Amino acid sequence: NATKDVTYVNVSNCNASTGYEVVDFGGRDLGGNMNWQFFPPVVPGMTNAWTGAASSDPGNSANWSQSRCPVPTDAILVKADAVNAMEITAAATTYNSLTVEEGARLTLNGDLLTVTNFLNVAGTLECKGARKLVVGGDLTFASPASLVSGDGQVVLSGGATKTVDAHGARFCTLELDATCGDVAFASDVKAERIRSRAGSAMRTIETSAGATIEADGLLLDGWIDEETKGLTLKSATDGAVWKLKAKYFATVRGASVR
């Protein structure tokens, strides 16, 4: 179901049947066209809901409420009443935001899924094998069962302040990459590996009062230069206790803790 997208093209008598299907957003079908689809203009942030009416393939336009495959500005909603559960197998996929309803299931079986803004999983997100999920905004899992991480890697990326509320979900690898801004953990965080990569800017990792950051292996690197500690670890409530636990090893440098 490979396609080529164009915008605001008025076309007639064009035969594209020997190549890709052409998807035209905002253009006009003047007749006589083959292997073309015409849709209204895309409004950034519009909801495109997964229905799974035809299959589990998100590359099939028949599976979506907008009758077209998602574009990077769509707000994706994976519905609990979908006919077929959604499975991403493409090498790289980008969504604007992603919500998985309670009772819905999304399987990540491609190499990379990037969610530019928030990811909210009330249902289940399963990462098959060593998949990579990059999130640029807030990250929420509703329960421990909301994440089946396999060997997957969840990466927090981009400078906006993020809130992570895991509700007991356990990560395989949780990484704050070098571009990540401040992160607030609203509940306990558990993972096999937690890594905070040093960047060129200051970063604060904040926990809710009494919360625990727990991992088998822990690397928190705030080293900017010899005079600058680039990482602050603290509670959201001044004077409140919080815990940092490493089962096997921990490396912390360039950090101030309070």
Side-chain angles (χ1 to χ4, degrees):
N1 296 327
T3 63
K4 291 293 184 181
D5 295 349
V6 298
T7 56
Y8 297 102
V9 177
N10 301 329
V11 61
S12 65
N13 300 310
C14 180
N15 185 351
S17 59
T18 60
Y20 291 104
E21 179 184 65
V22 183
V23 178
D24 188 351
F25 298 103
R28 294 178 60 196
D29 181 2
L30 301 179
N33 300 302
M34 299 181 65
N35 207 30
W36 281 71
Q37 287 199 67
F38 295 85
F39 296 100
V42 173
V43 178
M46 73 189 313
T47 297
N48 199 357
W50 171 260
T51 65
S55 67
S56 295
D57 179 13
N60 185 340
S61 59
N63 288 319
W64 295 96
S65 64
Q66 297 291 343
S67 299
R68 59 165 175 78
C69 295
V71 297
T73 59
D74 282 346
I76 303 303
L77 174 63
V78 181
K79 295 180 66 63
D81 60 358
V83 177
N84 293 287
M86 179 177 169
E87 181 171 3
I88 298 174
T89 58
T93 301
T94 299
Y95 295 144
N96 174 30
S97 63
L98 175 59
T99 300
V100 181
E101 285 187 342
E102 183 177 2
R105 188 178 189 91
L106 169 61
T107 300
L108 176 56
N109 202 11
D111 294 330
L112 173 64
L113 171 61
T114 300
V115 182
T116 308
N117 291 294
F118 68 84
L119 170 61
N120 187 345
V121 183
T124 301
L125 172 64
E126 179 182 5
C127 296
K128 284 191 173 180
R131 309 307 178 192
K132 187 175 183 179
L133 170 63
V134 178
V135 182
D138 293 344
L139 173 61
T140 303
F141 292 101
S143 72
S146 292
L147 176 63
V148 181
S149 61
D151 295 324
Q153 180 181 10
V154 177
V155 179
L156 304 181
S157 185
T161 298
K162 300 166 184 57
T163 297
V164 177
D165 200 351
H167 286 107
R170 180 177 172 85
F171 301 90
C172 180
T173 299
L174 176 62
E175 178 171 327
L176 285 60
D177 74 9
T179 70
C180 185
D182 296 343
V183 176
F185 291 115
S187 56
D188 292 347
V189 179
K190 299 178 181 180
E192 291 184 27
R193 294 171 291 273
I194 296 177
R195 299 192 290 251
S196 177
R197 301 290 190 182
S200 59
M202 309 291 283
R203 175 184 299 156
T204 296
I205 298 177
E206 182 179 270
T207 71
S208 58
T212 299
I213 298 176
E214 181 178 355
D216 294 348
L218 192 63
L219 171 62
L220 303 178
D221 188 1
W223 183 266
I224 294 178
D225 56 46
E226 293 183 356
E227 298 180 352
T228 308
K229 293 181 177 180
L231 180 62
T232 298
L233 306 172
K234 71 184 191 72
S235 171
T237 304
D238 289 342
V241 173
W242 63 281
K243 297 177 182 180
L244 187 63
K245 298 174 64 176
K247 186 174 182 180
Y248 296 119
F249 69 88
T251 301
V252 181
R253 70 168 190 164
S256 61
V257 182
R258 62 178 193 268

